[in-house]
């Protein structure tokens, strides 16, 4: 069984037995500790295996796999999570703008408000990324049909007299 499958199975079992709130409390605490370490040392690419990270932070390999699952989209080179093994060395070469954007998208306030971000991006840069995030969520209909335009259903009538009623 892949480590990724172990992670997803562990989450399901954890939520069943202890509840979703308990899972998020424990997972967010672990995630915060790892991110504090990575962000504090942002000048270097951390290279570590899942097992060594689990030992370093005193957690299970499944929780570290969950962390890798969360950060994977923010790495310059992502991993095929189904093939990642506990002893495989991973390089956490992070695209920090993408990471901050993804943290906003995940609504992980406890992560995007970490003080370690101040050494990486200025307050203005973080506001710029947040603005770009908000704008990415706005849906704009470019092909708006006007009242007096021909109806889109092909009837030949004006929109206001057909489907626009």
């Amino acid at each position: 069984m892949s480590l990724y499958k172990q992670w997803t199975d562990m989450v399901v079992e954890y939520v069943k037995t202890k509840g979703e709130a308990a899972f998020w409390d424990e997972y967010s605490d672990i995630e915060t500790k790892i991110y504090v370490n990575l962000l504090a040392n942002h000048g270097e690419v951390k290279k570590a295996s899942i097992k060594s990270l689990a030992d370093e932070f005193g957690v299970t390999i499944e929780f570290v796999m969950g962390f890798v699952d969360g950060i994977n989209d923010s790495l310059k080179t992502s991993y095929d999570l189904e093939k990642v093994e506990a002893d495989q060395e991973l390089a956490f070469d992070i695209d920090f703008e993408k990471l901050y954007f993804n943290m906003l998208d995940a609504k992980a306030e406890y992560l995007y408000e970490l003080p370690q971000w101040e050494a990486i991006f200025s307050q203005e840069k973080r506001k710029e990324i947040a603005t770009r995030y908000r704008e990415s969520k706005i849906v704009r209909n470019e092909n708006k049909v006007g009242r007096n335009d021909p109806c889109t259903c092909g009837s030949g009538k004006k929109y206001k007299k057909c489907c626009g009623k």
Side-chain angles (χ1 to χ4, degrees):
M1 179 186 322
S2 76
L3 190 54
Y4 182 73
K5 177 86 169 108
Q6 284 177 252
W7 153 245
T8 56
D9 290 349
M10 186 273 299
V11 171
V12 170
E13 191 58 34
Y14 194 109
V15 170
K16 278 184 191 176
T17 57
K18 297 180 183 176
E20 191 172 346
F23 167 77
W24 283 111
D25 284 345
E26 186 170 350
Y27 178 73
S28 61
D29 184 50
I30 293 165
E31 190 178 37
T32 300
K33 288 176 187 171
I34 298 173
Y35 272 118
V36 164
N37 181 278
L38 287 175
L39 296 175
N41 300 303
H42 67 276
E44 63 184 62
V45 174
K46 182 158 183 106
K47 293 182 179 178
S49 68
I50 288 177
K51 184 170 179 359
S52 67
L53 282 174
D55 292 343
E56 182 180 344
F57 292 99
V59 297
T60 66
I61 59 173
E62 289 84 7
F63 273 115
V64 176
M65 184 66 214
F67 167 78
V68 173
D69 183 19
I71 198 172
N72 198 37
D73 288 340
S74 302
L75 298 176
K76 292 178 183 171
T77 305
S78 59
Y79 292 97
D80 180 353
L81 298 177
E82 291 289 342
K83 295 180 181 174
V84 171
E85 303 208 0
D87 293 326
Q88 176 183 344
E89 184 177 78
L90 305 174
F92 295 95
D93 192 7
I94 304 167
D95 179 337
F96 288 100
E97 277 195 42
K98 196 171 187 182
L99 177 61
Y100 193 81
F101 187 95
N102 289 341
M103 285 177 174
L104 291 166
D105 193 35
K107 297 172 181 47
E109 188 173 330
Y110 64 98
L111 295 176
Y112 65 76
E113 289 190 349
L114 287 171
Q116 287 75 14
W117 280 109
E118 294 170 14
I120 299 170
F121 296 130
S122 66
Q123 183 67 27
E124 294 77 28
K125 181 66 174 176
R126 286 178 281 160
K127 284 181 182 177
E128 174 191 318
I129 296 169
T131 300
R132 199 170 57 223
Y133 164 71
R134 283 190 302 278
E135 287 175 355
S136 76
K137 297 299 172 195
I138 297 172
V139 177
R140 291 185 172 87
N141 187 352
E142 300 293 328
N143 301 328
K144 188 171 181 181
V145 179
R147 303 175 18 105
N148 291 314
D149 291 342
C151 190
T152 55
C153 73
S155 67
K157 296 179 182 178
K158 287 185 177 184
Y159 180 74
K160 68 181 178 185
K161 295 283 187 179
C162 190
C163 294
K165 281 187 172 179

